[in-house]
Amino acid sequence: MADTTETLEHRLSRIHLALENEQLADVDAVIADLEPAEIALLLESLPPAARVQLWQRVPTEVDGEVLLHVHDEVRSTLLDDMDHEEIVAAAAALDTTDLAEIFEDLPQQVAEDMLRSMDALQRTRLEETLSFEEDSAGRLMRMDTIAVRADVSLETVRRFLRWKESVPDNTHLLMVVDRDGRFVGALSLARLVSHDPEMAVADLMDREVDSIRVDMKSRDVATLFQTHDLVSAPVVDETGLLLGRIVIDDIVDVIREDSDQALMNMAGLDEEEDLFAPVLPSAKRRAVWLGINLLTAFLAAWVIGRFEDALDKIVALAVLMPIVASMGGIAGSQTLTLAIRGLALGQISRTNSSWLLRKEIGIAALNGLLWSLVVALLAVVWFGNLAIGAIIAAALVINMLAAGVAGIVIPLMLKRAGIDPALSGSVILTTVTDVVGFMAFLGLATFFLL
Amino acid sequence: MADTTETLEHRLSRIHLALENEQLADVDAVIADLEPAEIALLLESLPPAARVQLWQRVPTEVDGEVLLHVHDEVRSTLLDDMDHEEIVAAAAALDTTDLAEIFEDLPQQVAEDMLRSMDALQRTRLEETLSFEEDSAGRLMRMDTIAVRADVSLETVRRFLRWKESVPDNTHLLMVVDRDGRFVGALSLARLVSHDPEMAVADLMDREVDSIRVDMKSRDVATLFQTHDLVSAPVVDETGLLLGRIVIDDIVDVIREDSDQALMNMAGLDEEEDLFAPVLPSAKRRAVWLGINLLTAFLAAWVIGRFEDALDKIVALAVLMPIVASMGGIAGSQTLTLAIRGLALGQISRTNSSWLLRKEIGIAALNGLLWSLVVALLAVVWFGNLAIGAIIAAALVINMLAAGVAGIVIPLMLKRAGIDPALSGSVILTTVTDVVGFMAFLGLATFFLL
């Protein structure tokens, strides 16, 4: 029985220690017990130098699978460390679907050599897979489907499977096709084994099985698997021709990457980012995001600059103004996060967005009133000035209302424009809450106090 | 063949329209084609009034499954709308594992009635499931395992399955146990059907199958399924006794909830939050988060207040100070997000955190220098004052370095203290970048300019 109790953290410590002390036999012992996906996780958890050391110890026969499981950025650091022959050997060990996933990352010379070394069938399959759009069912599909005809008996199917000797990994459904290769239904292995061998496939097969169009978006395929509790499903073309099957283990990756993406994009990061990337390229990538934010910070500063007069005369304004901007930013980011998740799950549409907007305005009004009272009280106590308390209270309510509206409207507009709301939503929102916050507070002060 | 092409958004529009026009037959037609999980998604996407209307149209026999698939908060709104008998009927339709998942949400009277109406076996199973910790393998486990002995022939197994007539949903592995019920290996249906019936189970079974300890954390179970590409796995107690099995469709939910949680918690939201919750309870929940943030905003204001003198004399300081705080906040939240994801994936441990810290300091130094030059230049052009440019540049570098360090150290410390870094990390980080930013900028200005 495999040992499933050792955590990644424990393995990491062992590997680190072994690499530091150059006890390579220990390193080999750790990785010998691991699945390629676990080796991939370990590699991703190591700084560059240690990563290269470990990578050199990984047995050649699992190199391909490991490359498949690491994030894009880590993959390119690993490929950089391999010579031509090693890459060809690693890639050759993958099946068509897996190879297609990393094919575009391979050095051009390697890709060309691989295509040359393939037989005609392999090449056709690879080219066909690559011809599907990147985030579509076609790319997730495996072609090792077992297809049977509806009019044969279970006994015939069993003889056929026995003759094949091995059934592909994770085969749970046999696909039933007509004479033209069109999908007509599926027969689960569970039914096949639990029924009388004299029965015909047609009597037992499930005709209501969900089939997936080859051009369906990966994200929609993932939703279908989740809502229908699928383990595998047939993939068909627009005429119903059976092309292959999608199995849940590939869908699990789609689900994880999808949710990862929202989290990372909200901070202006790429979900393929390598945690242990070298300083220079990381700094470059993040510089862009900081630059964009600097623009919005200067916009806010420019707004403040319009009220130099007020700031010059009443120093309390400078002290209190960040409170108004910050509370708006926090309230807005709560609404924005809810909206981004709702959009990702497909739960927000034109029909319910106005209800949602009213709800967020209601919440903003209530919390605006509550906290503006608290802030006003504290400001009056601090500066002994009733008018300042009234003004900050009014500005806070205004900014929180603006934040509630912006938190719903911005992601909806971005989505409609085909822009990922998680990526640019928070920058735009902060701009709104900063500008509105400073303008309301300093504007009211200028009007009433000068 | 089921129609898998209609999107949730399209269905939502149809339901909305039908509910508005009281065309209940249309509503029924839409939901008749849907799986319980899809009805759950639709219900979650509707405002309260429409949700109640739709819920009343959902056929009683799927009520239980739908309740299982909605988030906790939505579940309680749906339960509020059902009478005693309806709840009992809905819950009675669930198997033990599913019932355990919602059992604690049921009204006490219903729970008691259900326990009374169960037979001894059902009650024991339910109590056993509830005795496992909430986020452990025991709660995910199904007890409908098919177990066979190693010394029988495949033919005997087939006869046994045929005698049982139906094999439980999603059975892919037959579990092999010894005479004491201890797990010794597994036989996949694929192997069972593709081999000679005369062979013995012992010759074909896989003894290396990963078995899961009943007290393993759900999150670790999910990692195991992902890294080992599992579809189902046996669950055993500490003596190796076979207790049940875990199937991937329940794991998919764990994976999705886990990643959802980080996203929602970073904004101070609960992942069980209902997008369409009424205003008052939503406002109450969010008020806490706003209150905590108000404390940090006042702390920042207090820091600014220490420098009233400088602000009073040089108004440019008030104009520029939010830039320093904001750039630190953005840089810090990038580091924090990377660290939170790394911790969630188990990729950060004591052994590599110092490397990570050095990397983030390096990035902060490079970007700090780059953007401080830009900011200094703009400040000098704007205010015609070289000293202010130098001071804001220095303050920016200091704050971005602090942000880089805080972005790594804060989540690590929170994790060690057993606190979710996603939940409180961002508040603490903002406090650091605000305080350090204002202090560095206004402090340096006071020292050099007054």
Coordinates of all heavy atoms in Angstrom, one line a residue, chain B residues 290-345:
Chain B
L290 N -15.7 46.2 8.0 CA -15.5 47.6 7.9 C -15.0 48.2 9.2 O -14.1 49.1 9.2 CB -16.8 48.3 7.4 CG -17.2 48.0 6.0 CD1 -18.6 48.4 5.7 CD2 -16.3 48.7 5.0
G291 N -15.5 47.8 10.3 CA -15.1 48.3 11.6 C -13.6 48.0 11.9 O -12.9 48.9 12.3
I292 N -13.2 46.8 11.5 CA -11.8 46.4 11.7 C -10.9 47.3 10.9 O -9.9 47.8 11.3 CB -11.5 44.9 11.3 CG1 -12.3 44.0 12.3 CG2 -10.1 44.6 11.4 CD1 -12.3 42.6 11.9
N293 N -11.3 47.5 9.6 CA -10.6 48.4 8.7 C -10.6 49.8 9.2 O -9.6 50.6 8.9 CB -11.1 48.3 7.3 CG -10.5 47.1 6.6 OD1 -9.4 47.1 6.1 ND2 -11.2 46.0 6.6
L294 N -11.6 50.2 9.8 CA -11.7 51.6 10.3 C -10.6 51.8 11.4 O -10.0 52.9 11.4 CB -13.1 51.9 10.9 CG -13.3 53.4 11.3 CD1 -13.2 54.3 10.1 CD2 -14.7 53.5 12.0
L295 N -10.4 50.8 12.2 CA -9.3 50.9 13.2 C -8.0 51.2 12.6 O -7.2 52.0 13.0 CB -9.2 49.6 14.0 CG -10.3 49.4 15.1 CD1 -10.0 48.0 15.8 CD2 -10.1 50.5 16.1
T296 N -7.7 50.4 11.5 CA -6.4 50.6 10.8 C -6.4 52.0 10.1 O -5.3 52.6 10.1 CB -6.1 49.5 9.8 OG1 -6.6 49.8 8.6 CG2 -6.6 48.2 10.3
A297 N -7.5 52.4 9.6 CA -7.5 53.7 9.0 C -7.2 54.8 10.0 O -6.5 55.8 9.8 CB -8.8 54.0 8.3
F298 N -7.8 54.7 11.2 CA -7.6 55.7 12.3 C -6.1 55.6 12.8 O -5.6 56.7 13.1 CB -8.6 55.5 13.4 CG -9.7 56.5 13.4 CD1 -11.0 56.0 12.9 CD2 -9.5 57.8 13.7 CE1 -12.0 57.0 12.8 CE2 -10.6 58.7 13.6 CZ -11.8 58.3 13.1
L299 N -5.6 54.4 12.8 CA -4.2 54.3 13.1 C -3.3 55.1 12.2 O -2.4 55.9 12.6 CB -3.8 52.8 13.1 CG -2.3 52.5 13.6 CD1 -2.1 53.0 15.1 CD2 -2.0 51.0 13.4
A300 N -3.6 55.0 10.9 CA -2.9 55.7 9.8 C -3.1 57.2 10.0 O -2.1 58.0 9.9 CB -3.3 55.3 8.4
A301 N -4.3 57.6 10.3 CA -4.6 59.0 10.5 C -3.9 59.6 11.7 O -3.4 60.7 11.7 CB -6.2 59.2 10.7
W302 N -3.8 58.7 12.8 CA -3.1 59.1 14.0 C -1.6 59.4 13.6 O -1.0 60.4 14.1 CB -3.2 58.1 15.0 CG -2.4 58.4 16.3 CD1 -2.8 59.2 17.3 CD2 -1.1 57.9 16.6 NE1 -1.9 59.2 18.3 CE2 -0.8 58.4 17.9 CE3 -0.2 57.0 16.0 CZ2 0.4 58.1 18.5 CZ3 1.0 56.7 16.6 CH2 1.3 57.3 17.9
V303 N -1.0 58.5 12.8 CA 0.4 58.7 12.4 C 0.5 60.0 11.6 O 1.4 60.8 11.9 CB 0.8 57.5 11.5 CG1 2.2 57.8 10.8 CG2 0.9 56.2 12.3
I304 N -0.4 60.3 10.7 CA -0.4 61.6 10.0 C -0.5 62.7 10.9 O 0.3 63.7 10.8 CB -1.5 61.6 8.9 CG1 -1.4 60.5 7.9 CG2 -1.5 62.9 8.2 CD1 -2.6 60.3 7.0
G305 N -1.4 62.6 11.9 CA -1.5 63.6 12.9 C -0.3 64.0 13.7 O -0.1 65.1 14.1
R306 N 0.6 63.0 13.8 CA 1.9 63.3 14.5 C 2.7 64.4 13.7 O 3.7 64.9 14.2 CB 2.8 62.1 14.6 CG 2.3 60.9 15.5 CD 1.9 61.3 16.9 NE 0.6 61.7 16.9 CZ 0.0 62.5 17.8 NH1 0.8 62.9 18.8 NH2 -1.2 62.8 17.8
F307 N 2.4 64.5 12.4 CA 3.2 65.4 11.6 C 2.4 66.7 11.2 O 2.6 67.2 10.1 CB 3.7 64.6 10.4 CG 4.5 63.4 10.7 CD1 4.0 62.2 10.7 CD2 5.9 63.6 11.1 CE1 4.8 61.1 11.1 CE2 6.7 62.5 11.5 CZ 6.1 61.2 11.5
E308 N 1.5 67.1 12.0 CA 0.6 68.3 11.6 C 1.5 69.5 11.3 O 1.2 70.2 10.3 CB -0.3 68.6 12.8 CG -1.5 67.8 12.8 CD -2.6 68.3 13.8 OE1 -2.4 69.5 14.2 OE2 -3.6 67.6 14.0
D309 N 2.6 69.6 12.0 CA 3.5 70.7 11.8 C 4.0 70.8 10.3 O 3.8 71.8 9.7 CB 4.7 70.5 12.7 CG 4.9 71.8 13.5 OD1 3.9 72.5 13.8 OD2 6.1 72.0 13.9
A310 N 4.5 69.7 9.9 CA 5.0 69.6 8.5 C 3.9 69.8 7.5 O 4.0 70.6 6.5 CB 5.7 68.3 8.3
L311 N 2.7 69.2 7.7 CA 1.6 69.3 6.8 C 1.1 70.8 6.7 O 0.7 71.3 5.7 CB 0.4 68.4 7.2 CG 0.7 66.9 7.0 CD1 -0.4 66.1 7.8 CD2 0.6 66.6 5.5
D312 N 1.2 71.4 7.9 CA 0.7 72.8 8.0 C 1.6 73.7 7.2 O 1.1 74.7 6.5 CB 0.8 73.2 9.5 CG -0.3 74.2 9.8 OD1 -1.2 74.4 9.0 OD2 -0.1 74.9 10.8
K313 N 2.9 73.4 7.1 CA 3.8 74.3 6.5 C 4.0 74.0 5.0 O 4.2 74.9 4.2 CB 5.2 74.3 7.2 CG 5.1 74.9 8.5 CD 6.5 75.1 9.2 CE 6.3 75.7 10.5 NZ 6.5 74.7 11.6
I314 N 3.9 72.7 4.6 CA 4.1 72.3 3.2 C 3.0 71.5 2.7 O 2.8 70.3 3.0 CB 5.4 71.5 3.1 CG1 6.6 72.1 3.8 CG2 5.8 71.2 1.6 CD1 7.7 71.2 4.1
V315 N 2.1 72.2 2.0 CA 0.8 71.5 1.6 C 1.1 70.4 0.6 O 0.3 69.4 0.4 CB -0.2 72.6 1.0 CG1 0.2 73.0 -0.4 CG2 -1.6 72.0 1.1
A316 N 2.2 70.5 -0.1 CA 2.5 69.4 -1.1 C 2.6 68.0 -0.4 O 2.3 67.0 -1.1 CB 3.9 69.7 -1.8
L317 N 3.0 68.0 0.8 CA 3.1 66.7 1.5 C 1.7 66.0 1.6 O 1.6 64.8 1.4 CB 3.6 67.0 3.0 CG 5.0 67.5 3.1 CD1 5.4 67.7 4.6 CD2 6.0 66.7 2.4
A318 N 0.7 66.8 1.9 CA -0.7 66.2 1.9 C -1.1 65.7 0.6 O -1.8 64.7 0.5 CB -1.7 67.3 2.4
V319 N -0.7 66.4 -0.5 CA -1.1 66.0 -1.8 C -0.4 64.7 -2.2 O -1.0 63.8 -2.8 CB -0.7 67.1 -2.8 CG1 -1.0 66.6 -4.3 CG2 -1.5 68.4 -2.5
L320 N 0.9 64.6 -1.9 CA 1.7 63.4 -2.3 C 1.6 62.2 -1.4 O 1.9 61.1 -1.9 CB 3.1 63.8 -2.5 CG 3.4 64.9 -3.6 CD1 4.8 65.4 -3.6 CD2 3.0 64.3 -5.0
M321 N 1.3 62.4 -0.1 CA 1.4 61.3 0.8 C 0.6 60.0 0.4 O 1.0 58.9 0.6 CB 1.2 61.7 2.2 CG -0.2 62.1 2.5 SD -0.4 62.6 4.3 CE -2.2 62.9 4.3
P322 N -0.6 60.2 -0.2 CA -1.4 58.9 -0.5 C -0.6 58.1 -1.6 O -0.8 56.9 -1.6 CB -2.7 59.4 -1.1 CG -2.9 60.8 -0.6 CD -1.5 61.3 -0.5
I323 N 0.2 58.7 -2.4 CA 0.9 57.9 -3.4 C 1.9 56.9 -2.8 O 1.9 55.7 -3.2 CB 1.7 58.9 -4.3 CG1 0.8 59.7 -5.1 CG2 2.7 58.1 -5.3 CD1 1.4 60.8 -6.0
V324 N 2.6 57.4 -1.7 CA 3.5 56.5 -1.0 C 2.8 55.3 -0.4 O 3.2 54.1 -0.6 CB 4.3 57.2 0.1 CG1 5.3 56.3 0.7 CG2 5.0 58.4 -0.5
A325 N 1.7 55.6 0.3 CA 0.9 54.5 0.9 C 0.3 53.6 -0.1 O 0.4 52.3 0.1 CB -0.2 55.1 1.8
S326 N -0.2 54.1 -1.2 CA -0.9 53.3 -2.2 C 0.0 52.4 -2.9 O -0.3 51.2 -3.1 CB -1.7 54.2 -3.1 OG -1.7 53.7 -4.4
M327 N 1.2 52.9 -3.3 CA 2.2 52.0 -4.0 C 2.7 50.9 -3.1 O 2.8 49.7 -3.5 CB 3.4 52.8 -4.5 CG 3.1 53.8 -5.6 SD 2.6 52.9 -7.2 CE 4.2 52.5 -7.8
G328 N 2.8 51.2 -1.8 CA 3.2 50.1 -0.9 C 2.1 49.1 -0.7 O 2.4 47.9 -0.7
G329 N 0.9 49.5 -0.7 CA -0.2 48.6 -0.6 C -0.3 47.7 -1.7 O -0.6 46.5 -1.6
I330 N -0.2 48.2 -3.0 CA -0.3 47.4 -4.2 C 0.9 46.4 -4.2 O 0.6 45.2 -4.4 CB -0.2 48.3 -5.4 CG1 -1.4 49.2 -5.5 CG2 -0.1 47.5 -6.7 CD1 -2.7 48.5 -5.7
A331 N 2.1 46.8 -4.0 CA 3.2 45.9 -4.0 C 3.1 44.8 -3.0 O 3.3 43.6 -3.3 CB 4.5 46.7 -3.8
G332 N 2.6 45.2 -1.8 CA 2.5 44.3 -0.7 C 1.4 43.2 -1.0 O 1.5 42.1 -0.7
S333 N 0.3 43.7 -1.7 CA -0.8 42.7 -1.9 C -0.4 41.7 -3.0 O -0.9 40.6 -3.0 CB -2.1 43.4 -2.2 OG -2.1 43.9 -3.5
Q334 N 0.5 42.1 -3.9 CA 1.0 41.1 -4.8 C 1.8 40.0 -4.1 O 1.6 38.8 -4.3 CB 1.9 41.8 -5.9 CG 1.1 42.7 -6.8 CD 1.8 43.0 -8.1 OE1 3.0 43.4 -8.1 NE2 1.2 42.8 -9.2
T335 N 2.7 40.4 -3.3 CA 3.5 39.5 -2.5 C 2.6 38.6 -1.6 O 2.7 37.4 -1.6 CB 4.6 40.2 -1.7 OG1 5.3 41.0 -2.5 CG2 5.5 39.2 -1.0
L336 N 1.7 39.3 -1.0 CA 0.8 38.5 -0.1 C 0.0 37.5 -0.8 O -0.2 36.3 -0.4 CB -0.2 39.5 0.6 CG -1.2 38.9 1.6 CD1 -0.5 38.5 2.9 CD2 -2.3 39.9 1.9
T337 N -0.6 37.8 -2.0 CA -1.4 36.9 -2.8 C -0.5 35.7 -3.2 O -1.0 34.5 -3.1 CB -2.0 37.6 -4.0 OG1 -2.7 38.7 -3.6 CG2 -2.9 36.6 -4.8
L338 N 0.7 35.9 -3.7 CA 1.6 34.8 -4.0 C 1.8 33.9 -2.8 O 1.8 32.7 -2.9 CB 2.9 35.4 -4.5 CG 3.2 35.5 -5.9 CD1 4.7 35.8 -6.1 CD2 2.8 34.2 -6.7
A339 N 2.1 34.5 -1.7 CA 2.3 33.7 -0.5 C 1.1 32.9 0.0 O 1.2 31.8 0.4 CB 2.8 34.7 0.7
I340 N -0.1 33.6 -0.1 CA -1.3 32.9 0.3 C -1.5 31.7 -0.6 O -1.9 30.6 -0.1 CB -2.5 33.8 0.3 CG1 -2.4 34.7 1.5 CG2 -3.8 33.1 0.3 CD1 -3.4 35.9 1.6
R341 N -1.3 31.8 -1.9 CA -1.5 30.7 -2.8 C -0.5 29.6 -2.5 O -0.8 28.4 -2.5 CB -1.5 31.1 -4.3 CG -1.9 29.9 -5.1 CD -1.9 30.2 -6.6 NE -0.6 30.3 -7.1 CZ -0.3 30.0 -8.4 NH1 -1.2 29.6 -9.2 NH2 1.0 30.1 -8.8
G342 N 0.8 30.0 -2.3 CA 1.8 29.1 -2.1 C 1.6 28.3 -0.8 O 1.8 27.1 -0.8
L343 N 1.1 29.0 0.2 CA 0.8 28.3 1.5 C -0.4 27.3 1.3 O -0.4 26.2 1.8 CB 0.4 29.3 2.6 CG 1.6 30.0 3.2 CD1 1.1 31.2 4.1 CD2 2.4 29.1 4.0
A344 N -1.4 27.8 0.5 CA -2.6 26.9 0.3 C -2.2 25.6 -0.5 O -2.7 24.5 -0.2 CB -3.7 27.6 -0.5
L345 N -1.2 25.7 -1.4 CA -0.8 24.6 -2.1 C 0.3 23.8 -1.4 O 0.8 22.8 -1.8 CB -0.2 25.0 -3.5 CG -1.2 25.6 -4.5 CD1 -0.4 26.0 -5.8 CD2 -2.3 24.6 -4.9

